[in-house]
Amino acid sequence: MDKKESWDVIVIGAGAAGMMCAAQAGQRGRKVLLIDHGRKLAEKIRISGGGHCNFTNLHCAPDNYLSQNPHFCRSALTRFTPQHFIALVERYGIRYHEKTLGQLFCDGSAQQIIALLQSECGQGRVNWRMPCEVQTVGRNEEGFQVATNQGLYQTQALVMATGGLAVPAIGSTPMAYQIAEQFGLTVISPRPALVPLALEPETLRQFGDLSGLSLEVEVSCRKGRFRESLLFTHQGISGPAVLQISSYWQNGDFISIDLLPDKDAETWLRAHGSSRVRIDNFLAEVLPRRFAQQWCAAHNLSKPLCQFTPPELRKIADALENWRIRPSGTLGYNKAEVTLGGVATEGLSSRTMESKAVPGLYFIGEAVDVTGHLGGFNFQWAWASGNAAGQAV
């Protein structure tokens, strides 16, 4: 039989959550092995935020997350807040700035965050195996046995931090879901989130040539409502507002777009009801001209404002405030920033991330059915869930 190396903790997946967990456990004096199949460390961190890593959000709260149990994330987020991670960033002398809506980015490179996590692991004397392929995971009397292409490892505590299915080009894997199902845990069907939406052919025919044009809107669908910019693309719509709403959208749903979020459209139109200006030219005063023209053409609106009756103006106002579009789908995991769904929270302890049914087995980060809004919330969940497990293993 192969000789087994024994560890207190094995963490599979050296991304944001995995490195945070390994560092915390190691600094508590645990003997930790961190395994990752990648040739490059933490590619998802490196490419995030345009290479500047939107590492947290000042306004982080449980209602910034989607989950079948919206309260599950509360415990971990309360115990490791944005201020805790900011203190770590400042300790390493990493300069950062706030963009819109509480989003914090490195002034320099996302590589600084990766180096910070490596250093924290170093302080915890974490051992690395990378690149290292995990072949099988089994359970025995001593805990868990992990077979890899570099040997056999034994551990009392196994932490799955392999993420979701987003961005397959950098090595995403369904391993966390497979291990969860192997040990009898429920997995909420994963799907792409924070992802551009494709438009149906007819809508694309009307607006597809506006690629690159953006406008400030308020988008809503189901329980989601976001006011940010919308960007037209060759395939459909993107931009922060659309990425946000994509997490709420489901196949067949319409999304509602308020094109004039700062105005009461009917009051505004009626106040100018005597104008002889053609309606598309009038709307072009507050909306991009090409969009105003094509939106009016799609709604068969071509007369001067003064030729519309009050009921017609009301109908136009409603269309401006509630432009309904039915996407044909998302652009898939290749374009998604994160994965919605994952290991069901009902089977995990919200305090430690440990499986309730399988002692010693933990799931953290994106692998869990907790998905943040755009803007640093998913990194904060990685830090918080990694910390929760790292303090418990």
Side-chain angles (χ1 to χ4, degrees):
M1 185 175 172
D2 292 337
K3 183 178 181 297
K4 287 186 290 189
E5 284 184 32
S6 287
W7 304 86
D8 297 331
V9 182
I10 292 178
V11 180
I12 302 178
M19 281 195 281
M20 173 59 84
C21 176
Q24 298 284 326
Q27 289 175 27
R28 287 176 49 240
R30 308 291 279 156
K31 185 183 173 192
V32 182
L33 178 65
L34 182 54
I35 299 174
D36 195 281
H37 71 296
R39 295 195 170 276
K40 290 184 179 177
L41 179 62
E43 277 288 271
K44 200 161 184 187
I45 298 177
R46 188 186 64 77
I47 65 172
S48 66
H52 294 282
C53 189
N54 179 191
F55 57 82
T56 193
N57 192 297
L58 293 171
H59 310 309
C60 190
D63 59 6
N64 294 118
Y65 295 86
L66 288 84
S67 173
Q68 297 225 340
N69 175 3
H71 302 294
F72 178 84
C73 62
R74 190 179 301 272
S75 173
L77 291 170
T78 302
R79 286 177 292 126
F80 195 89
T81 66
Q83 284 65 39
H84 285 105
F85 197 77
I86 291 166
L88 197 56
V89 165
E90 290 177 345
R91 199 166 86 222
Y92 279 82
I94 298 171
R95 298 176 65 86
Y96 62 91
H97 58 278
E98 180 183 350
K99 279 196 178 177
T100 55
L101 307 170
Q103 301 170 26
L104 299 188
F105 290 78
C106 298
D107 286 1
S109 161
Q111 196 65 44
Q112 294 174 289
I113 299 295
I114 299 172
L116 175 159
L117 293 164
Q118 281 181 286
S119 175
E120 287 292 298
C121 285
Q123 288 176 44
R125 299 188 174 184
V126 172
N127 284 265
W128 296 72
R129 298 289 185 276
M130 181 182 174
C132 178
E133 296 286 342
V134 173
Q135 294 160 341
T136 61
V137 173
R139 202 173 173 202
N140 56 24
E141 289 176 4
E142 302 160 57
F144 298 89
Q145 186 172 282
V146 180
T148 76
N149 64 348
Q150 293 187 26
L152 211 53
Y153 305 114
Q154 181 69 41
T155 184
Q156 299 160 1
L158 177 65
V159 184
M160 296 303 301
T162 52
L165 301 174
V167 206
I170 59 171
S172 60
T173 161
M175 181 183 286
Y177 312 143
Q178 292 164 350
I179 297 299
E181 288 174 339
Q182 177 186 331
F183 287 102
L185 281 75
T186 302
V187 174
I188 308 300
S189 293
R191 57 190 180 89
L194 300 183
V195 61
L197 296 172
L199 293 180
E200 293 181 328
E202 176 62 16
T203 314
L204 205 57
R205 186 184 62 75
Q206 293 169 326
F207 299 99
D209 67 336
L210 295 176
S211 181
L213 183 147
S214 74
L215 54 160
E216 178 93 357
V217 298
E218 186 171 274
V219 180
S220 56
C221 181
R222 295 183 181 258
K223 293 180 180 177
R225 179 177 294 272
F226 298 94
R227 172 157 177 187
E228 289 189 67
S229 63
L230 175 151
L231 173 72
F232 287 94
T233 72
H234 290 299
Q235 293 167 288
I237 48 177
S238 186
V242 172
L243 297 183
Q244 296 279 37
I245 212 65
S246 72
S247 297
Y248 293 82
W249 177 83
Q250 293 180 29
N251 236 351
D253 285 350
F254 282 89
I255 62 171
S256 172
I257 302 171
D258 184 348
L259 295 167
L260 302 172
D262 289 323
K263 295 184 184 295
D264 179 313
E266 185 181 356
T267 303
W268 177 62
L269 289 173
R270 292 184 73 158
H272 296 86
S274 59
S275 171
R276 296 178 180 278
V277 176
R278 206 171 68 186
I279 187 163
D280 55 351
N281 291 327
F282 178 72
L283 290 178
E285 293 174 17
V286 293
L287 294 168
R289 177 169 294 278
R290 284 169 58 220
F291 173 76
Q293 290 169 341
Q294 289 175 226
W295 188 86
C296 286
H299 290 79
N300 295 313
L301 301 172
S302 59
K303 298 187 294 189
L305 263 179
C306 61
Q307 291 182 20
F308 291 100
T309 65
E312 286 173 332
L313 288 179
R314 188 177 305 121
K315 195 173 175 186
I316 294 166
D318 181 59
L320 286 164
E321 292 179 340
N322 183 26
W323 180 32
R324 280 163 60 81
I325 287 181
R326 185 160 62 187
S328 58
T330 75
L331 294 195
Y333 288 116
N334 283 322
K335 299 293 184 183
E337 297 202 8
V338 292
T339 308
L340 198 69
V343 180
T345 57
E346 65 184 10
L348 304 176
S349 159
S350 62
R351 181 160 185 84
T352 65
M353 304 289 130
E354 185 177 18
S355 164
K356 293 174 182 176
V358 188
L361 180 62
Y362 299 75
F363 293 86
I364 58 175
E366 193 181 334
V368 180
D369 175 35
V370 174
T371 306
H373 290 164
L374 186 72
F377 299 104
N378 287 293
F379 273 125
Q380 187 57 38
W381 171 245
W383 316 138
S385 61
N387 172 73
Q391 296 297 330
V393 288

